[in-house]
Amino acid sequence: MKSILLIGLGRFGREIAITLNDLKHEVMGVDKVEERVESVLPYVTSTQIGDSTNEEFLRSLGVDNFDVCIVTIGNDFQASLETTSLLKELGANLVVARAATDVHEKFLLRNGADEVVYPVKQFAKWTAFRYSSEHIFDFFALDKDFSIFEIEVPEDWIGKNIGEINIRKKYNINILAVKRDTKMDLAITPETSFSGGELLLVLGNNKDVQKYFHI
């Protein structure tokens, strides 16, 4: 269980609060709008109403006591940057900030964010990969070049095992798991074989995966 400071309780922040609650983490929710704070009361451990660009208010929260500080302010460029910068100055251990544009992302990284989430770009990429191919069932980007794909087993793999296919050595693509009838098998060996109908979780360079699986 982690202690998390969540600043910004709009729709995106509220969804994060709900998920963190499901995962049993301790969350302090912060926003300057009282109605937003009230909307997350069932999902957080504690709340504060205040302006996160105010150094004294932010200091009073004890930001260095949290494992993670998440800034989900997306529509107020200045407030997002100021909050992120202040958190780092006050000794926050890990600052994760939400970006709304490419420029926003760059400035957040320059102003103290340890990591940046960019929901619009990330979901756009997921949508493009997911719905431009009949072979992809899910997709998760690790960075701009590498991703994890959920892909159906190619027909020419049926009746063969991983050792025979040798996809890792030939194409530098790693098979992480095989899903059979909704059950995930992580015990992958060279003897793991395919009978058809399985789904694969594969990790690799986007270009290599697209080329090999004809995506």
Side-chain angles (χ1 to χ4, degrees):
M1 181 176 66
K2 290 188 175 183
S3 59
I4 298 171
L5 177 61
L6 179 61
I7 299 177
L9 302 175
R11 286 178 295 178
F12 185 63
R14 185 174 183 275
E15 289 300 320
I16 292 176
I18 292 172
T19 303
L20 290 173
N21 178 64
D22 290 341
L23 296 172
K24 310 301 182 184
H25 293 296
E26 291 185 351
V27 181
M28 174 185 282
V30 176
D31 202 292
K32 63 182 180 181
V33 179
E34 184 176 357
E35 290 77 10
R36 292 177 181 171
V37 173
E38 291 177 351
S39 74
V40 302
L41 286 175
Y43 312 110
V44 298
T45 311
S46 60
T47 60
Q48 288 286 341
I49 300 173
D51 183 359
S52 61
T53 65
N54 182 300
E55 183 175 348
E56 290 307 310
F57 169 72
L58 213 55
R59 188 187 301 276
S60 71
L61 303 179
V63 299
D64 57 332
N65 294 318
F66 293 91
D67 296 309
V68 186
C69 296
I70 303 175
V71 182
T72 68
I73 302 169
N75 298 324
D76 189 332
F77 185 93
Q78 190 65 30
S80 171
L81 293 183
E82 288 183 18
T83 300
T84 299
S85 180
L86 282 172
L87 284 170
K88 211 60 186 175
E89 289 177 12
L90 293 172
N93 296 300
L94 175 64
V95 180
V96 180
R98 171 195 178 189
T101 65
D102 291 341
V103 172
H104 193 184
E105 180 181 29
K106 291 178 182 178
F107 274 89
L108 284 170
L109 291 169
R110 292 175 184 173
N111 282 268
D114 295 296
E115 297 183 26
V116 171
V117 292
Y118 192 167
V120 172
K121 178 184 283 188
Q122 289 161 343
F123 188 68
K125 183 177 287 189
W126 181 90
T127 303
F129 273 108
R130 172 64 181 85
Y131 294 104
S132 64
S133 172
E134 297 178 355
H135 305 291
I136 294 181
F137 291 84
D138 207 346
F139 160 82
F140 178 76
L142 299 177
D143 61 24
K144 66 183 182 67
D145 295 317
F146 288 85
S147 304
I148 296 173
F149 296 82
E150 184 179 71
I151 299 174
E152 64 181 350
V153 171
E155 289 186 11
D156 58 357
W157 287 23
I158 297 174
K160 298 180 181 178
N161 62 39
I162 290 178
E164 293 175 287
I165 297 163
N166 206 14
I167 190 173
R168 181 176 184 179
K169 185 175 181 180
K170 291 180 179 178
Y171 300 97
N172 200 30
I173 296 172
N174 294 282
I175 299 175
L176 304 178
V178 178
K179 185 188 289 186
R180 297 183 176 90
D181 299 324
T182 72
K183 294 183 179 180
M184 193 74 73
D185 180 8
L186 301 175
I188 305 300
T189 70
E191 286 71 43
T192 300
S193 60
F194 306 103
S195 58
E198 298 98 340
L199 294 177
L200 306 173
L201 284 185
V202 301
L203 166 65
N205 183 284
N206 296 335
K207 292 181 179 179
D208 292 337
V209 175
Q210 291 172 57
K211 182 179 179 180
Y212 182 83
F213 290 98
H214 308 294
I215 299 169

